[in-house]
């Protein structure tokens, strides 16, 4: 018995020894693995030296050498999260699984002499095209979280914003806006009540990882109006990371005491990848240097869900859903009682309605809800060709509220529901000769209906629209040249039911059929690795939109009476562009883009020089009209990298738009704009707290000069005591705008904190913007301090 007990004790000792010794031996044997890597620029392919490489799990890191190489040793098998950071770059986090052998990585960062204040020229970093695509990256979007989509795109040279106050805006690209600009939301044409200047695109820019502006042939593959440019709003593919990660972004603006928060979470386990993105923002009344803008607040709540599934290496499918919900105040001062009121406001330079600000949003106001659901599937036939299909549905609900008597202010004066269904198919083929072919077919159905109970005749009639489009684009690379050709055909059927304004009131119906043809050809020639030129020639037609044909009544958001013309014809335009892009010894980079576009039957909203009084107040009167027109412009950009840390940047956007028929300046043309900025990025980490350091610290000072419009004074006629009188409103004077922005990063163990701050209109300048429809009543927003805090985890 004693012998048996002794044998058992010996065996237990042996087992215990194995449990202790074997893991130690195993650990010492396996923790000798090496992770090496090479970091290069995503655009130029050049190595990026001195990049910080931090491993969250080991809390250690290294720095890449002068050739972009780095090395991490003594690693155990396991999962690792690595953060790359470098001045001038957006930090990048990657997931690496190390098993029983060394790992070598090829990593890319967006960093280049052509990364112009976060606007990257794709002639160096994007798709092969004869005309550059300008892209705003995620870091810039996040650093400007308090701005809407239109204001964010203003960072691109040649892009302006036509706005209604400070919260509502639409992009203007090369002098064109509204129905001439296509906005593509995650691959789907954005469909909503886009007919009004006071109707911003119902898109939360924080759901996007990049926003691109496409000009030329590449835009023909998207359903919409190819007369102008195309704006792509694209969320990033979900990172194949099995662990839960995300980011949260808090942003604050002093003017209006605006607060907002954005939260993003994502994970890609073995089954299906998912990402959820939510934003909430609230702003009170904003202020000018002289007074508060009463009823200019904003409330916004948005949510987006993204799902991705890889069934095989050939078949990938994703689903996307977003909901955008906002309430916008319309400045109370824009509601006037008579022509004399407007005359007095113009003379005294100050509205009648001012006071202390609040967060209340009272009529006049707008409530907008936009919902999008999209299904996308892509099948790769082989390495050189693929097909993709898209199905999408959208619901847009818009309600506009006026100040009404008898306790009816909470009853909408305009209530519209719009349903949209989209189906599209695309085929791509890459031939061995270097020729790329992309072709597709698309169908879009819209049902737009006024909801009963407003007690007001609708501004926009009920209608349905069927639009079918087909396109083909060809791209060919040959030696130092790229050639492009594209063609598109669209057929639109509209069925419209309008209500007459004369007695007896009756319903009139219209059936419209429009045919639109667009073609474009381009050539890009790389003279040498540092200089390229491009040329594009295109022809396009656009049919009149519903508002241009049938608007009739008060457009409350812009405090104007607008009237369409059912006899309007298709617009026709011929456009040519010439561009040159390059750099000198990677110190000085430059871009020049000239364009000329001639229109036949250009449709525009023309002030009639009349102020008409109706039961809801006195309002300016505008008519949709047509004329022959031409737009010529030149966009210039230059950046001088004085040192690796100091950059000087200058831009100029020059434009001349003529109404040839009436021999005057085309209304709502952006004025000439000049900007200059100086950016300093501190090259070394700055000690902060303990071992923590401030990385990538950057500060930018920017000055913007906007010239005076060359449009004629607007003369208005009114009657006082049966006596005919008139007065004129001159275009706003030129103004200067000074701003400052700073940012820095702090790396913690498993999280990365980014802090941004800035001040716009530092000198608190009083000015009116010609492209602001509220300029008749109020001056623009004054000084505004911003703060942003983003945490990646």
């Amino acid at each position: 018995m004693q012998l048996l007990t002794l044998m058992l004790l010996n065996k237990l000792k042996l087992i215990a020894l194995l449990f202790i010794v074997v893991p130690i031996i195993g650990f010492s044997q396996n923790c000798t693995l090496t992770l090496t890597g090479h970091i290069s620029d995503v655009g130029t392919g050049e190595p990026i030296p001195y990049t910080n490489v931090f491993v969250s799990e080991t809390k250690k890191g290294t720095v890449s050498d002068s050739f972009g190489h780095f090395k991490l040793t003594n690693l155990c098998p396991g999962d690792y999260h690595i953060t790359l950071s470098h001045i001038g770059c957006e930090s990048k986090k990657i997931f690496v699984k190390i098993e029983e052998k060394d790992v070598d990585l090829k990593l890319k960062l967006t960093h280049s002499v052509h990364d112009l204040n976060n606007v990257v020229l794709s002639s160096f970093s994007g798709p092969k095209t004869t005309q550059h695509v300008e892209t705003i990256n995620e870091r810039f979007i996040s650093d400007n979280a308090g701005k809407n989509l239109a204001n964010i795109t203003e960072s691109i040279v040649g892009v302006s914003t036509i706005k209604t106050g400070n919260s509502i805006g639409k992009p203007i690209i090369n002098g064109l806006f509204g129905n001439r600009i296509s906005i593509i939301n995650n691959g789907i044409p954005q469909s909503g009540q886009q007919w009004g200047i006071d109707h911003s695109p119902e898109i939360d820019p924080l759901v996007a990882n990049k926003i691109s502006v496409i000009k030329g042939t590449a835009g023909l593959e998207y359903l919409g109006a190819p007369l102008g440019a195309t704006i792509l709003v694209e969320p990033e593919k979900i990172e194949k990371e099995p662990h839960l990660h995300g980011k949260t972004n808090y942003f604050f603006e002093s003017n209006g005491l605006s607060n907002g928060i954005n939260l993003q979470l994502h994970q890609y386990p073995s089954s299906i990848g998912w990402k959820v993105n939510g934003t909430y923002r609230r702003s009170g009344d904003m202020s000018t240097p002289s007074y508060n803008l009463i009823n200019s607040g904003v409330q916004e709540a948005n949510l987006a869900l993204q799902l991705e599934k890889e069934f095989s290496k050939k078949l990938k499918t994703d689903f996307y859903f977003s909901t955008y919900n906002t309430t916008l105040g319309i400045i109370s001062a824009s509601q006037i009682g008579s022509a004399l009121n407007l005359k007095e406001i113009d003379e005294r330079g100050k509205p009648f309605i001012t006071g202390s600000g609040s967060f209340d949003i009272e009529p006049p106001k707008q409530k907008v809800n936009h919902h999008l659901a999209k299904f996308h599937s892509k099948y790769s036939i082989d390495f050189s060709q693929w097909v993709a299909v898209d199905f999408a549905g959208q619901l847009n609900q818009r309600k506009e509220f006026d100040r009404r008597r008898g306790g009816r202010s909470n009853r909408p004066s305009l209530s519209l529901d719009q349903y949209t269904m989209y189906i599209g198919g695309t085929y791509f083929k890459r031939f061995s000769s270097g020729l790329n072919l992309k072709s597709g077919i698309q169908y879009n159905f819209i049902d737009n209906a006024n909801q009963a109970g407003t007690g007001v005749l609708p501004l926009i009639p009920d209608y349905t629209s069927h639009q079918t489009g087909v396109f083909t684009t060809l791209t060919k690379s040959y030696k130092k040249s790229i050639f492009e050709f594209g063609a598109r055909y669209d057929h639109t059927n509209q069925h419209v039911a309008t209500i007459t304004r004369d007695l007896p009131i009756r319903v009139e119906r219209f059936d419209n059929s429009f045919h639109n043809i667009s073609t474009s050809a381009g050539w890009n020639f790389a003279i040498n690795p540092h200089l390229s030129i491009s040329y594009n020639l295109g022809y396009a037609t656009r049919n009149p939109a519903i508002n241009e044909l049938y608007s009739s009544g008060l457009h409350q958001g812009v405090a104007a009476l607008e009237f369409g013309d059912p006899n309007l014809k298709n617009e026709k335009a011929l456009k040519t562009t010439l561009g040159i892009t390059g750099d000198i010894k990677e110190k000085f980079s430059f871009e020049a883009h000239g364009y000329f576009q001639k229109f036949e039957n250009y449709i525009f909203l023309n002030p009639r020089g009349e102020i008409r009084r109706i039961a809801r107040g006195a309002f300016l009167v505008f008519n949709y009209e047509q004329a022959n027109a031409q737009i010529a412009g030149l966009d210039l950009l230059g950046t001088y990298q004085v040192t690796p840390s100091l950059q000087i940047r200058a831009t100029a956007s020059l434009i001349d738009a003529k109404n040839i028929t009436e021999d005057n300046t085309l209304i709502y043309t952006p004025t000439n704009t000049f900007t200059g900025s100086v950016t300093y990025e501190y090259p070394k980490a700055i000690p902060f707290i303990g071992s923590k350091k401030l990385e990538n610290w950057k500060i930018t000072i920017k000055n913007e000069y906007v010239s005076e419009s060359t449009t004629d004074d607007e003369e208005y006629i009114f009657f006082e005591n049966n006596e005919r009188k008139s007065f004129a409103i001159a275009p706003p004077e030129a103004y200067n705008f000074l701003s400052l922005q700073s940012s820095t990063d702090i790396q913690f163990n498993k999280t990365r904190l980014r802090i941004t701050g800035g001040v716009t209109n530092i000198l608190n300048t009083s000015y009116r913007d010609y492209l602001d429809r509220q300029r008749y009543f109020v001056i623009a927003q004054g000084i505004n301090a911003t703060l942003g805090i983003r945490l990646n985890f």
Side-chain angles (χ1 to χ4, degrees), residues 522-570:
W523 169 63
N524 184 295
F525 178 67
I527 300 172
N528 57 52
H530 300 280
L531 183 65
S532 67
I533 59 172
S534 62
Y535 177 78
N536 278 77
L537 177 66
Y539 172 82
T541 62
R542 179 185 76 90
N543 58 269
I546 291 293
N547 60 305
E548 297 165 337
L549 292 166
Y550 304 112
S551 288
S552 183
L554 176 61
H555 192 164
Q556 170 254 4
V558 293
L561 293 167
E562 296 180 354
F563 298 94
D565 181 355
N567 298 312
L568 295 177
K569 301 176 181 179
N570 278 22

Side-chain angles (χ1 to χ4, degrees), residues 157-231:
V157 183
V159 179
S160 307
T161 300
I162 187 163
K163 60 189 78 172
T164 303
N166 300 290
S167 303
I168 304 173
K170 284 187 159 183
I172 302 179
I173 304 173
N174 293 159
L176 302 179
F177 61 93
N179 298 312
R180 302 178 185 92
I181 302 295
S182 299
I183 298 179
I184 307 300
N185 186 1
N186 194 13
I188 303 301
Q190 178 76 2
S191 182
Q193 303 296 342
Q194 299 299 329
W195 40 267
I197 290 175
D198 63 322
H199 302 173
S200 294
E202 295 96 348
I203 299 175
D204 179 4
L206 291 177
V207 306
N209 294 94
K210 64 177 181 178
I211 300 172
S212 306
V213 175
I214 297 178
K215 307 168 187 175
T217 305
L220 292 178
E221 65 181 85
Y222 300 102
L223 191 72
L227 283 173
T230 299
I231 298 176

Side-chain angles (χ1 to χ4, degrees), residues 528-642:
N528 57 52
H530 300 280
L531 183 65
S532 67
I533 59 172
S534 62
Y535 177 78
N536 278 77
L537 177 66
Y539 172 82
T541 62
R542 179 185 76 90
N543 58 269
I546 291 293
N547 60 305
E548 297 165 337
L549 292 166
Y550 304 112
S551 288
S552 183
L554 176 61
H555 192 164
Q556 170 254 4
V558 293
L561 293 167
E562 296 180 354
F563 298 94
D565 181 355
N567 298 312
L568 295 177
K569 301 176 181 179
N570 278 22
E571 282 185 346
K572 300 176 183 179
L574 182 68
K575 184 175 183 179
T576 181
T577 66
L578 179 64
I580 181 169
T581 306
D583 65 78
I584 300 175
K585 296 182 179 179
E586 298 190 352
K587 276 283 191 179
F588 176 71
S589 59
F590 59 90
E591 174 191 348
H593 175 74
Y595 56 92
F596 177 81
Q597 194 161 8
K598 193 164 186 177
F599 291 87
E600 181 181 338
N601 300 324
Y602 180 87
I603 302 172
F604 64 104
L605 194 58
N606 196 27
R608 286 182 51 179
E610 176 187 351
I611 299 176
R612 186 179 302 177
R613 182 174 177 80
I614 61 175
R616 295 157 70 185
F619 301 94
L620 307 178
V621 180
F622 292 78
N623 282 357
Y624 281 102
E625 299 178 3
Q626 285 189 304
N628 292 333
Q630 65 182 36
I631 300 176
L634 178 64
D635 297 326
L636 301 170
L637 183 150
T639 301
Y640 180 56
Q641 203 72 35
V642 183

Side-chain angles (χ1 to χ4, degrees), residues 72 90 98 137 140 150 162 168 219 294 301 339 353 390 494 530 537 552 581 625 654 665 676 749 781:
L72 295 165
E90 183 174 3
I98 299 179
N137 63 28
F140 186 86
I162 187 163
I168 304 173
I294 303 303
I353 302 176
D390 292 282
Q494 297 172 347
H530 300 280
L537 177 66
S552 183
T581 306
E625 299 178 3
L654 312 175
T665 300
N749 292 340
Q781 177 180 295

